[in-house]
Coordinates of all heavy atoms in Angstrom, one line a residue:
H344 N 148.4 114.2 137.6 CA 148.3 112.7 137.5 C 147.1 112.4 136.6 O 146.4 113.3 136.1 CB 147.9 112.3 138.9 CG 146.5 112.8 139.4 ND1 146.3 114.0 139.9 CD2 145.2 112.1 139.4 CE1 145.1 114.1 140.2 NE2 144.3 112.9 139.7
D346 N 143.7 109.7 136.1 CA 142.8 108.9 136.9 C 142.7 107.7 136.1 O 142.0 107.4 135.1 CB 141.4 109.5 137.0 CG 141.3 110.7 137.9 OD1 142.4 111.1 138.7 OD2 140.3 111.2 138.0
F395 N 135.1 114.8 132.9 CA 136.0 114.3 131.8 C 135.9 112.9 131.4 O 136.2 112.0 132.2 CB 137.5 114.8 132.1 CG 138.1 114.4 133.3 CD1 139.0 113.4 133.4 CD2 137.7 115.1 134.5 CE1 139.6 113.0 134.6 CE2 138.3 114.7 135.8 CZ 139.4 113.7 135.8
H404 N 145.9 116.0 135.0 CA 145.3 117.0 135.7 C 145.7 117.1 137.1 O 146.3 116.2 137.6 CB 143.7 116.9 135.6 CG 143.2 115.6 136.3 ND1 143.2 114.5 135.7 CD2 142.8 115.3 137.5 CE1 142.8 113.5 136.5 NE2 142.5 114.1 137.7
R429 N 133.4 108.1 140.2 CA 134.0 107.3 139.2 C 133.3 105.8 139.1 O 132.8 105.5 140.1 CB 135.5 107.0 139.4 CG 136.3 108.1 139.6 CD 137.2 108.0 140.8 NE 137.8 109.4 141.2 CZ 139.2 109.5 141.1 NH1 139.9 108.7 140.6 NH2 139.6 110.7 141.3
Ligands
MN719 MN1 142.3 113.0 139.5

Side-chain angles (χ1 to χ4, degrees):
H344 65 279
D346 287 0
F395 53 105
H404 60 278
R429 304 136 192 255

